[in-house]
Amino acid sequence: MKQRLALLGSTGSIGKQTLDIVRRRPDEFEITTLTAGSRWESLVEQALEFKPDSVVIANEQHYNAVKEALSKEPIKVYAGSDALSQVVTGGEVDTVVNALVGYAGMLPSLAAVRASKRLALANKESLVVAGEHIMREAAERGVPILPIDSEHSAIFQCLAGEASAPRRVIVTASGGPFLRTPAEELERVTVAQALAHPNWSMGAKITIDSSTLVNKGFEVIEARWLFGLKPEQIDVLVHPQSIVHSMVEFEDGAIKAQLGTPDMHLPIQYALRFPERGELGEERLDFMKNPTLTFEPVDNERFPLLQTAYDCLRKGGNSCCVMNGANEVAVAAFLSGEIKYTDIARVILGTLERAQFVATPTIEDYAASNLESRRIAREIIQH
Ligand code: NAD
Ligand code: MG
């Protein structure tokens, strides 16, 4: 039997690489649902190639265009963000691949878990916002959550076959394009400079998040929930070569690492085929081309937002949700030229100060908190 995938965010960077895997293994996988935010033409093209049962275009403005383009196909067309949570629950879905970006991915992750679907998770914001709820609901139902994020896939791979709990994990960070940029120059960083990640080609939002180390902060939060760790068991080390994707240290001092070229196809395929590996056909790591692997601490003065993420994690409640909402607004404002690069931190810290703290939030509280943090972030930007 083929594994039937609902692929959310199929037109994005992770989405397209997931389709590469499916294209190479037509006997193993079939696509039952594809979804896109606004890029309706790519969605239609993908639908004509993969023949899913349904597609969702989240931006309702493009519903008619998609409907028209697929009118000769037996493919159901839905629009709007609620449809994302509905298509994942269908009986014809085995695995939900969540490659959405931002808060928009959280409710579909929750819906997948509640419908007892295996969740292959790239959308780290799901766990940043509602990690406690999602992990608890998954545990109650015995639903596996398989990480796609490369660091978490590395940790997951290092933990495979181990009966002992890890003592700590070391999440590696490339350091991004501004690793060596002096503090006083960060203010003048341009969008093009921030979008030029040295090692990975990714969507715009995560590329900016990587440059500010917000992404690393979110990955610490993600690791906390995926692997049931305390914040103090999660360390971050800068490793500019992005060859060691992360490490796990055990009680006896042994450290396991997963290494490879920086290529998301591997963690995507590992999540989809777990516990089996398979030929991938991508470039292999050649140590002689990468003879030097280096490690250094994070400069928390120039990159304060990693510590902000730790602070939010320790404070708990809705703090991480607030940080995420403020970050989404700040990154969008930076990308559209509204604010300076260094204002991203100012907007996030200002929003965290002003947003209402909710100690034990429900999912509805997260929704409200997300809206409130976005509103406050916009106010800070406009004043
Ligand atoms: P992307 O921007 O390239 O793609 C996002 C996808 O989601 C697109 O299909 C887009 O149409 C859709 N989308 C965006 N906003 C939406 C909305 N409001 N409603 C519905 N659909 C929407 O992003 P990406 O780089 O593929 O990243 C996806 C997720 O994977 C993010 O959470 C990111 O942090 C994580 N991730 C990405 C990489 C990578 O290499 N790209 C690596 C690790 C983790
Ligand atoms: Mg990552």
Side-chain angles (χ1 to χ4, degrees):
M1 266 257 291
K2 290 189 195 179
Q3 191 182 150
R4 298 163 302 175
L5 309 178
L7 173 54
L8 309 183
S10 58
T11 57
S13 161
I14 295 290
K16 286 193 269 190
Q17 294 179 83
T18 304
L19 291 176
D20 289 340
I21 305 283
V22 172
R23 209 176 269 122
R24 288 175 208 167
R25 295 180 176 274
D27 302 338
E28 275 180 46
F29 301 111
E30 74 184 49
I31 297 284
T32 60
T33 296
L34 294 169
T35 86
S38 293
R39 269 174 265 162
W40 69 270
E41 294 98 334
S42 324
L43 179 68
V44 165
E45 205 176 296
Q46 292 177 342
L48 293 172
E49 178 181 354
F50 290 94
K51 312 276 185 211
D53 300 338
S54 63
V55 297
V56 179
I57 182 80
N59 183 337
E60 299 179 12
Q61 283 177 7
H62 303 303
Y63 173 76
N64 286 334
V66 178
K67 185 85 188 146
E68 172 78 8
L70 296 177
S71 60
K72 293 200 178 64
E73 305 291 325
I75 299 174
K76 296 189 264 314
V77 180
Y78 303 107
S81 45
D82 290 349
L84 294 172
S85 295
Q86 281 152 19
V87 287
V88 302
T89 64
E92 65 292 347
V93 176
D94 300 312
T95 302
V96 175
V97 182
N98 188 342
L100 297 167
V101 61
Y103 180 90
M106 189 273 281
L107 287 176
S109 283
L110 193 64
V113 163
R114 287 181 173 166
S116 294
K117 307 297 182 186
R118 269 172 109 241
L119 177 60
L121 186 63
N123 179 259
K124 66 193 82 190
E125 295 91 343
S126 291
L127 297 180
V128 170
V129 171
E132 191 170 1
H133 287 74
I134 291 172
M135 295 312 294
R136 180 169 16 89
E137 298 223 16
E140 281 166 8
R141 295 173 178 80
V143 175
I145 299 185
L146 301 142
I148 287 180
D149 210 350
S150 59
E151 295 77 4
H152 305 76
S153 177
I155 294 167
F156 188 57
Q157 291 176 57
C158 291
L159 290 173
E162 292 287 347
S164 306
R167 182 189 167 96
R168 66 169 179 145
V169 301
I170 302 162
V171 177
T172 53
S174 70
F178 308 125
L179 179 58
R180 310 281 175 231
T181 307
E184 60 279 10
E185 284 175 27
L186 285 176
E187 209 175 2
R188 293 190 297 276
V189 154
T190 65
V191 171
Q193 286 170 326
L195 283 176
H197 194 281
N199 304 338
W200 297 94
S201 156
M202 309 177 287
K205 192 247 178 193
I206 183 179
T207 305
I208 302 300
D209 288 352
S210 300
S211 77
T212 58
L213 294 205
V214 163
N215 182 55
K216 213 44 59 179
F218 284 179
E219 290 181 352
V220 167
I221 300 167
E222 186 185 7
R224 185 260 173 270
W225 295 118
L226 277 174
F227 305 111
L229 300 165
K230 298 192 185 79
E232 52 274 21
Q233 288 180 289
I234 309 167
D235 287 339
V236 174
L237 262 187
V238 173
H239 166 52
Q241 298 82 19
S242 294
I243 297 289
V244 174
H245 296 311
S246 279
M247 302 182 257
V248 178
E249 183 182 318
F250 295 90
E251 222 60 58
D252 56 3
I255 294 180
K256 283 167 83 175
Q258 187 255 329
L259 286 72
T261 53
D263 182 342
M264 292 306 295
H265 289 99
L266 190 149
I268 295 168
Q269 177 173 282
Y270 191 77
L272 295 182
R273 299 190 84 238
F274 177 78
E276 283 174 27
R277 294 180 184 271
E279 174 64 39
L280 199 55
E282 297 290 328
E283 191 193 341
R284 282 162 188 272
L285 175 62
D286 179 348
F287 275 102
M288 292 310 107
K289 282 189 194 151
N290 305 271
T292 312
L293 303 179
T294 63
F295 301 91
E296 57 192 279
V298 172
D299 179 349
N300 290 313
E301 301 271 309
R302 279 183 308 137
F303 301 103
L305 293 170
L306 172 62
Q307 289 309 315
T308 306
Y310 273 103
D311 293 344
C312 288
L313 189 52
R314 290 202 178 92
K315 189 167 179 200
N318 62 335
S319 306
C320 297
C321 174
V322 171
M323 180 176 177
N324 178 70
N327 180 59
E328 285 185 29
V329 170
V331 169
F334 171 67
L335 285 172
S336 67
E338 255 183 290
I339 59 171
K340 287 185 299 202
Y341 184 73
T342 41
D343 288 333
I344 296 174
R346 188 176 62 84
V347 171
I348 292 173
L349 296 172
T351 306
L352 280 165
E353 257 171 42
R354 285 165 55 182
Q356 196 193 335
F357 179 67
V358 185
T360 50
T362 61
I363 294 296
E364 291 70 32
D365 291 332
Y366 287 128
S369 180
N370 176 52
L371 290 178
E372 187 200 19
S373 58
R374 285 167 183 273
R375 182 180 54 71
I376 296 171
R378 288 236 57 89
E379 277 169 19
I380 296 174
I381 289 165
Q382 279 151 9
H383 288 105

